[in-house]
Amino acid sequence: MSAPLVGVIMGSQSDWPTMAHAVQILEEFGIAHEVHIVSAHRTPDRLVDYAKGAAGRGLQAIIAGAGGAAHLPGMVASMTRVPVLGVPVQSAALSGVDSLYSIVQMPGGIPVATFAIGKAGATNAGLFAAAMLANSDADLAQKLDAWRTTQTDSVAPTPVREG
């Protein structure tokens, strides 16, 4: 198997039902990836080791999902030059709005590409990683173009309303 190009990390096992959608996209496109639980609050040393070693391990993108305070994407971004794609995980208290604000409101100089809350965000983060990698991988670009064509073709061509 190839060395991972994309890291998928999450703050806890409870984030997996959301982050599984990013992994599904990576697998659909045959993109080598790794999946780890890396908590900004409970495993800070693991977070530092992961982030600081990401570029040296050949990662081209990191998809980081977190809920609640959602510090994981920003903390990782502060320690690596590898692009970080933040996925706000829906939380019980504020339905993921807290997670979204925590990820999207990064200070200037520490960018995190932030996606929608939940499944849609995780799916789009996987697609965004695929698009980034497709810039230097013609086979992947062809797969992504075909995927998009299939998506377009799946929309019924009938009018919504006649008359």
Side-chain angles (χ1 to χ4, degrees):
M1 175 147 203
S2 303
L5 296 175
V6 177
V8 178
I9 59 175
M10 62 205 84
S12 70
Q13 183 67 40
S14 64
D15 298 335
W16 175 246
T18 297
M19 299 309 291
H21 298 286
V23 171
Q24 179 182 359
I25 292 292
L26 299 174
E27 289 176 351
E28 185 173 341
F29 287 105
I31 297 170
H33 60 280
E34 61 186 25
V35 180
H36 295 282
I37 294 174
V38 180
S39 172
H41 303 113
R42 293 181 300 276
T43 64
D45 292 336
R46 186 185 306 170
L47 179 146
V48 171
D49 291 344
Y50 187 88
K52 289 190 174 186
R57 288 194 328 278
L59 292 182
Q60 299 296 305
I62 298 169
I63 301 173
H71 291 123
L72 180 62
M75 291 299 297
V76 170
S78 75
M79 291 181 247
T80 185
R81 63 176 161 75
V82 175
V84 175
L85 315 178
V87 177
V89 174
Q90 190 164 0
S91 58
L94 298 171
S95 297
V97 174
D98 50 344
S99 311
L100 174 66
Y101 286 164
S102 293
I103 297 170
V104 79
Q105 285 300 117
M106 289 300 298
I110 310 292
V112 174
T114 308
F115 293 85
I117 298 166
K119 175 184 175 180
T123 299
N124 284 341
L127 288 166
F128 193 89
M132 287 180 10
L133 294 170
N135 285 321
S136 60
D137 181 334
D139 290 338
L140 180 56
Q142 193 171 42
K143 287 179 190 176
L144 186 58
D145 289 344
W147 188 92
R148 288 176 181 230
T149 297
T150 299
Q151 180 178 341
T152 298
D153 292 346
S154 73
V155 176
T158 58
V160 175
R161 182 174 177 227
E162 289 184 19

